[in-house]
Amino acid sequence: MSFSASKGYFLKNGKPYFVISGEIHYFRLDPKLWEKHLKLLKDSGANTTSTYIPWDWHEYEENKFDFTGETNPARNLIKYIKLCKKVGLNLIVKPGPYILAEYEGQGLPQWLLNKASKNAHALDENGNVISPDLMSYMSDEYLHYSFLWYNEIMPIISEHQESNGGPITMMQVCNEVGVFQWLSGKIDYNEKVLKLYYEFLVDKYKSIEKLNSTYGTKYNSFEKLSAPVGKIENKQDYCAYYDFHLFYRHFYAMYLDTLIKKIKSFNINVQLTHNIPGWIYGNAAELPMLISTYEEIMRTREDIIFGLDHIPEFVSFRNAHSDLACNKILEAMQPYGPVWAAEFQCGTREHHVKSDTNDLETFYFASLAHGLNSFNYYMFSQGINPAGKGFFGKTFYYQTAATAKAVKSSLYDIIKKVNGFINKEKENLLQSKTKSDICVGLYKPYFYTELTTSQMLKDKRLDVEKLGLQFDPRFMREEIFFNGLLRGLQTLNFSYDIQDLENTSIESLLKYKQLWITTTEFMDADTQSLLVKYVKMGGHLIIYPVIPTMDLYLNKCTNLKEELNIRVSKSPSPNKVTVFEIEDLFTVFRDKQIFESTKNEIIATTENGETCGIRKKVGDGTVTILGFAFGYTSDEHLHLYEKIVLLDGIRRAAKISDPDIQFVVRKGEKYSYLFLLNYHNQKKSFSVGSKHITLSAFSCKVIKQK
């Protein structure tokens, strides 16, 4: 028996394998009911279960461990693992050190939090502890105690891993490592962090002269440098924060790499994974920023597979695009692995959020349509927190498939239906694909903003006007890219792919008729040149709302502008423009890019009659440039997206008479699947070719064809 990850899906004994997992927390349940919970999950059609292993729960006092239930039957981890094997479920274990999971102290032992020195914690710029349960990941003290925990738990995991006849097939390494800084809006200025930052800069620049040339500074040595603090007041501050963002991606990679090396010293050979906060609390617009914090380790270590949290709490027409966008972004950044949800909503985290089972059924099938090919229902079983260990009281999760007493809820039958569909179709479904002629460029430097202009920061550190910039990268990311372009394309039922522009090839890009990219004023020279090459070799580049003329450190970089022979200036004008004969199209900002119209096809004008959009041939291809910012808030915006797509004869994958119906066509080796999705709160009747279909409010239908 063997379990691993490959490009596109997981493998079991060398064959494509759909992981259908359900989260069950043994430490939150009556041990007498463990087997009943596991059997309910197995009977639903699942093949895997998942659980955290809280450090705090098992090392209840320093150097006092219980894995066999001597102090509390619910601590009998060994028994629980054996029950998973008995029932016939694979097991994903998540031993931390951090688990979060709404568990007090994030799973770190209370004795450790009481004992840890100040230098073991993440510290703010004034040397104050950011949070009692936030350690500085690379501090010697924190790692020392974490490895002592590993010395106890890893031999158990090793003994019960699949290669030794046990049920454990996957292990999560820590949990959501970047989320604390994001949620707190605080930077860790721990002495160890600053030392590593200094080493990072020395390794990156080699000489202080090269750093000075980049920053526009006059430092005599690296020793004169310090980590950025406070607001960005000038170019030097901006450069320092940009490098600090890069460093943090290096820092998280170092931390996970350190844990992985320790784990592998115990002869553990299960598939490693880690979860990333993705679609949480309604909209996933922050995902590109959150996933970018893992950029380095996703690029350098293919032995750890990343999964997303798909926890929308609610699904509607307003946020349905988040599903596809999340999956496509993960696929772009992790082309070597499957698209899987480490946490897949099953019930709700908070009591006041009511989750309709029919809505979740539609959400589940939509996720399959949008390329999700393995998942972990979170939570399958409700839990009751050990005394004093829950964030929000005694009960953990609501409206789950099974209550804490192992009683089925109305959601159980829905899950059984979804699992039944997957088990029947899994071989063909896993290898099925959507076809797209449209590529959307993912440019990660636009997402390195969590330390300067994050949603969670009360006081934004970046003031773009002070730097003479037009766009806040966060606004571009959320309103123009994610909630604008990606939502618009999906609403129109145009299939798209996403490519990581820093880690793709010209050959990959040329497979697409169109390449869309939303931009700010800065972009590195190599990426600018890649876009030029794409156009000259026959592609159609759509770029807006501004032509980049600077590199990532705000130094002059005009490769794109010069190679495309674009002459541009900036001018304020009324918010409405006319583009492709679409009148009164609303733009977000008054400032527009104005283009010299000589030898260019004019496609957009301001109310002042200035040219703010052009289309031109360059080499064997075409570039469409729009010098204004727009998202998707009106019919005019949707009409514009459609007009541009149709310029290259791109067609939808099916003909559906009602444009309100979302659909996805997935083609497999033997069969194709047409997923029909009604995200509206009213019944819809429509035709698919010659076939008449009726869908009830917020529902879905799958049509299988040879």
Side-chain angles (χ1 to χ4, degrees), residues 6 14 23 31 157 178 221 251 267 431 558 567 594 617 658 685:
S6 70
E23 190 86 5
I157 293 172
S221 66
F251 180 72
N267 295 316
Q431 298 178 78
T558 56
R567 294 188 180 181
I594 306 301
K617 293 284 292 182
D658 189 340
S685 294

Side-chain angles (χ1 to χ4, degrees), residues 436-500:
S436 179
D437 290 319
I438 301 170
C439 178
V440 176
L442 179 76
Y443 189 55
K444 299 189 299 294
Y446 293 157
F447 310 140
Y448 300 167
T449 62
E450 73 275 10
L451 305 180
T452 55
T453 178
S454 165
Q455 196 176 57
M456 298 297 173
L457 286 174
K458 294 178 181 177
D459 189 17
K460 305 294 186 287
R461 299 185 180 100
L462 174 63
D463 185 338
V464 293
E465 291 184 3
K466 278 191 176 181
L467 292 172
L469 301 176
Q470 188 175 347
F471 296 106
D472 183 328
R474 180 189 154 208
F475 182 88
M476 189 282 297
R477 174 181 79 235
E478 295 181 14
E479 300 308 319
I480 301 176
F481 172 75
F482 198 93
N483 293 325
L485 174 61
L486 300 188
R487 175 186 276 162
L489 290 175
Q490 182 169 331
T491 301
L492 288 163
N493 281 309
F494 286 118
S495 175
Y496 68 84
D497 291 334
I498 292 180
Q499 290 277 324
D500 178 359

Side-chain angles (χ1 to χ4, degrees), residues 74-98:
R75 290 192 171 112
N76 196 341
L77 175 64
I78 306 297
K79 178 182 178 180
Y80 187 76
I81 293 173
K82 289 180 177 179
L83 280 175
C84 294
K85 176 73 174 179
K86 176 186 175 182
V87 172
L89 289 169
N90 300 325
L91 176 59
I92 304 169
V93 291
K94 301 185 285 189
Y98 276 92

